[in-house]
């Protein structure tokens, strides 16, 4: 595991973008996955700028989303799909070869889950997986206790996730479940870039990357992946100090 610590959020976002762009440069047909949330906004901005300036060519690259709130789709503000469309997909002057967004509002959510599995199995494994980390150590919606080797899952949201979800969509929605790539799919990625910024993420970075590998902290499984880059700003990186 490599850790990169940058002075601030912009530096962390730029560095992450460079890592991903380099990976795509070497693996143009890769399947890539970025998260929603507040953490990746800067990274995604950088990425869009690079693509639009022809600094990275994604014409053969495929994109799959990481997760979605069950009941919400890309039309719902605050959803992961909405984040993907407004921050990334709709701003690209040159599109990805393919985009597969998870529809959390699908009538048959288990079929939607199977469709995600089929997509990743058919185009995968993942090349790059960019991740945020929840305050409980979740990756996507892989909450505490999930098996480390599973395909896509529909899972109840943890109390921690429910506590923070208002920051995305106020009290307009109150989802109880998430649909997410499974840890097994994430762990097959050629390279994983996990980002965390802000002092509120220091404690969970410490638990995930300085503590034992345990299902109680889903992100801790990343310690066993051969190519993980953990990026933090100074505030979050306080978690790595003893
Ligand atoms: P955040 O969410 O980027 O909005 O902090 C991270 C996560 O819950 O995975």
């Amino acid at each position: 595991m490599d850790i990169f610590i940058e002075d601030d959020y912009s530096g962390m976002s730029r560095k992450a973008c460079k890592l991903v762009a380099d990976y795509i440069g070497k693996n143009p047909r890769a399947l890539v996955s970025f998260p929603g949330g507040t953490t990746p906004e800067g990274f995604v901005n950088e990425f869009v700028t690079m693509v639009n300036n022809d600094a990275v060519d994604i014409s053969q690259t495929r994109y799959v989303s990481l997760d979605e709130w069950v009941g919400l789709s890309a039309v719902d503000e605050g959803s992961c799909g909405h984040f993907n469309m407004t921050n990334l997909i709709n701003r690209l002057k040159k599109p990805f070869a393919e985009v597969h967004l998870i529809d959390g509002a699908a009538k048959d959510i288990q079929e939607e889950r199977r469709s995600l599995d089929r997509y990743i199995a058919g185009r995968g494994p993942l090349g790059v997986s960019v991740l945020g980390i929840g305050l409980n150590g979740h990756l996507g919606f892989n909450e505490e206790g999930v098996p480390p080797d599973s395909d896509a899952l529909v899972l109840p949201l943890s109390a921690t996730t429910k506590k923070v979800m208002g920051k995305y969509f106020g009290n307009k929605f109150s989802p109880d479940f998430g649909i997410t790539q499974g840890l097994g799919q994430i762990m097959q990625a050629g390279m994983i870039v996990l980002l965390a910024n802000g002092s509120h993420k220091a404690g969970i970075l410490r638990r995930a990357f300085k503590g034992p590998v345990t299902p109680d902290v889903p992100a801790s499984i990343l310690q066993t992946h051969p190519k993980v880059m953990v990026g933090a700003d100074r505030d979050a990186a306080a978690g790595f100090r003893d």
Side-chain angles (χ1 to χ4, degrees), residues 9 34-52 58 63 74 76-93 96 101 168:
Y9 177 70
F34 304 160
T38 48
T39 308
E41 282 173 10
F43 157 75
V44 168
N45 276 337
E46 288 290 330
F47 187 80
V48 168
T49 303
M50 281 189 88
V51 172
N52 291 348
I58 57 167
Y63 182 85
D76 297 309
E77 213 169 311
S79 69
C80 306
H82 190 268
F83 176 94
N84 273 285
M85 291 309 295
T86 55
N87 289 276
L88 178 65
I89 308 300
N90 289 343
R91 294 175 57 210
L92 294 169
K93 291 193 188 137
F96 284 109
L101 295 188
Y168 304 113

Side-chain angles (χ1 to χ4, degrees), residues 36-40 67 132-135 138-140 164 167-168 200-201:
T38 48
T39 308
D67 57 357
I133 182 169
L135 292 173
H138 77 185
L139 299 176
V164 301
K167 75 172 174 170
Y168 304 113
H200 62 301
K201 293 285 173 79

Side-chain angles (χ1 to χ4, degrees), residues 17-18 20 29 34 64 74 107 115 121 138 149 158 186 192 215 234:
C17 188
K18 180 160 179 0
V20 172
R29 295 175 55 79
F34 304 160
V64 61
K107 271 212 183 83
S115 150
H138 77 185
D149 53 359
S158 70
I186 294 169
I192 295 176
R234 290 248 161 247

Side-chain angles (χ1 to χ4, degrees), residues 9-27:
Y9 177 70
S10 322
M12 179 195 80
S13 304
R14 271 197 305 277
K15 168 82 181 189
C17 188
K18 180 160 179 0
L19 289 168
V20 172
D22 286 352
Y23 189 95
I24 292 174
K26 289 187 193 123
N27 305 274

Side-chain angles (χ1 to χ4, degrees), residues 66-70 102-104 109 112-113 116 141 152-155 177-181:
L66 172 66
D67 57 357
E68 186 56 279
W69 308 91
V70 170
I102 303 166
D103 179 6
I109 198 68
E112 184 66 13
R113 175 184 61 76
L116 176 60
F141 286 125
L153 293 167
V154 175
L155 289 167
F177 291 85
I179 175 169
T180 183
Q181 291 175 22

